[in-house]
Amino acid sequence: MIRISVCNQKGGVGKTTTAVNLSAYLALSGKKTLLIDLDPQAAATSGLGVKGDKTSYNLISGEETEPVATEVENLFIIPSSIDLAGAEIELANEPGRELILKEQVEKFQRYDYLIVDTPPNLGVLTVNAITACEKVLVPVQAEYYPMEALSRLWRIFELLRRRMKIDVRERYVVTMFDPRVRICKEVEAELRRILGEKVFKTIIPRNSKLAEAPSHGKPIALYDPECKGAKAYKSLSEEIIQLEGKW
């Protein structure tokens, strides 16, 4: 099973949009995919139009949790709920709290891909996701402030590598890109200059259909598969599949 956490402590960069639509296209390509919504805001859950009695809070609590089928063939989700907001406090003094999710996801080996959507912070839940997956996909909005915020995320990666011996392997995708805006092109160029091949070739454009799809409880692959945003996420999924065994 290939495990990828989608992380960025900066909100509004397309993190959940990426987690949902990447998962959908991996599933549509024939890969049995499990999405875990680890964000108390539950945007990935509502974006797929699902509900479930057992949530990622139950999973983190060590309870038996069965994934819920979605409208997309081969795509399953462990939904989130507001109960997860208390998990940060509940886990604060728990021994080995950074490894809880890693232990829990071992039972889902029947899936080809595990994607974890994380909260927009660098707390216990996000660290759990990174530790469980090791592969990290970082959406970076093509603007100055999201680029500046990466330094804090890099410090967390380095801390996990050094203190916990976690083999964090991160890659980046440029999101909300508008070729008419100069700063977008400058940020993309700078990101590629600094990180080279760690930045995916695919660029996710700013696209109104991507913004509309969650309100209909559908991934873009079902809502408007011909729009630019859909084609971009399909391309990203293809890049990731090509990297199997190399990331």
Side-chain angles (χ1 to χ4, degrees):
M1 178 172 62
I2 296 172
R3 307 173 183 179
I4 302 171
S5 59
V6 184
C7 301
N8 195 325
Q9 82 277 13
K10 179 75 172 65
V13 298
K15 179 180 57 61
T16 297
T17 299
T18 297
V20 168
N21 292 302
L22 172 60
S23 297
Y25 274 112
L26 288 171
L28 289 170
S29 72
K31 304 291 185 179
K32 192 173 183 181
T33 303
L34 173 60
L35 173 61
I36 297 179
D37 187 352
L38 207 62
D39 186 347
Q41 297 177 75
T45 300
S46 62
L48 285 172
V50 299
K51 294 180 179 179
D53 294 330
K54 296 288 188 177
T55 69
S56 53
Y57 174 77
N58 301 104
L59 185 69
I60 286 287
S61 301
E63 300 174 27
E64 284 297 319
T65 310
E66 191 62 30
V68 178
T70 73
E71 195 176 348
V72 179
E73 186 178 2
N74 290 322
L75 179 58
F76 298 79
I77 185 173
I78 295 180
S80 181
S81 75
I82 194 62
D83 293 338
L84 196 60
E88 297 272 357
I89 299 171
E90 293 172 16
L91 296 175
N93 298 313
E94 188 78 18
R97 60 187 178 276
E98 299 90 354
L99 300 172
I100 292 173
L101 184 63
K102 184 175 184 178
E103 294 168 358
Q104 287 293 90
V105 299
E106 292 297 331
K107 66 185 73 170
F108 300 122
Q109 293 296 329
R110 63 186 182 274
Y111 293 92
D112 299 308
Y113 277 87
L114 169 70
I115 308 295
V116 183
D117 187 32
T118 60
N121 60 50
L122 295 175
V124 173
L125 294 176
T126 298
V127 171
N128 258 270
I130 296 171
T131 303
C133 297
E134 296 189 348
K135 294 180 178 64
V136 182
L137 176 58
V138 184
V140 183
Q141 184 181 358
E143 291 184 4
Y144 174 73
Y145 286 118
M147 180 78 171
E148 187 182 51
L150 285 178
S151 60
R152 292 191 290 276
L153 191 59
W154 290 336
R155 284 197 292 271
I156 291 294
F157 292 162
E158 186 54 36
L159 195 65
L160 290 172
R161 290 186 185 108
R162 190 175 67 250
R163 293 191 180 179
M164 296 187 63
K165 310 303 179 187
I166 302 298
D167 183 21
V168 182
R169 287 165 281 169
E170 78 275 19
R171 287 184 179 259
Y172 303 80
V173 60
V174 177
T175 61
M176 300 183 182
F177 184 83
D178 187 340
R180 299 168 299 179
V181 179
R182 187 179 66 181
I183 189 64
C184 287
K185 292 185 283 188
E186 290 176 351
V187 166
E188 186 215 349
E190 183 68 2
L191 201 63
R192 295 192 188 282
R193 184 188 69 80
I194 296 170
L195 298 169
E197 292 185 355
K198 287 187 176 181
V199 183
F200 283 103
K201 294 176 183 177
T202 299
I203 296 173
I204 309 300
R206 187 176 289 279
N207 182 254
S208 61
K209 296 297 183 180
L210 285 174
E212 292 170 11
S215 66
H216 294 268
K218 295 179 182 292
I220 196 65
L222 298 185
Y223 181 68
D224 190 346
E226 297 303 316
C227 73
K228 290 182 179 179
K231 291 176 181 178
Y233 275 114
K234 186 174 188 293
S235 174
L236 179 63
S237 71
E238 290 167 351
E239 273 198 80
I240 287 176
I241 290 170
Q242 289 172 2
L243 278 175
E244 287 183 4
K246 301 174 186 177
W247 178 350

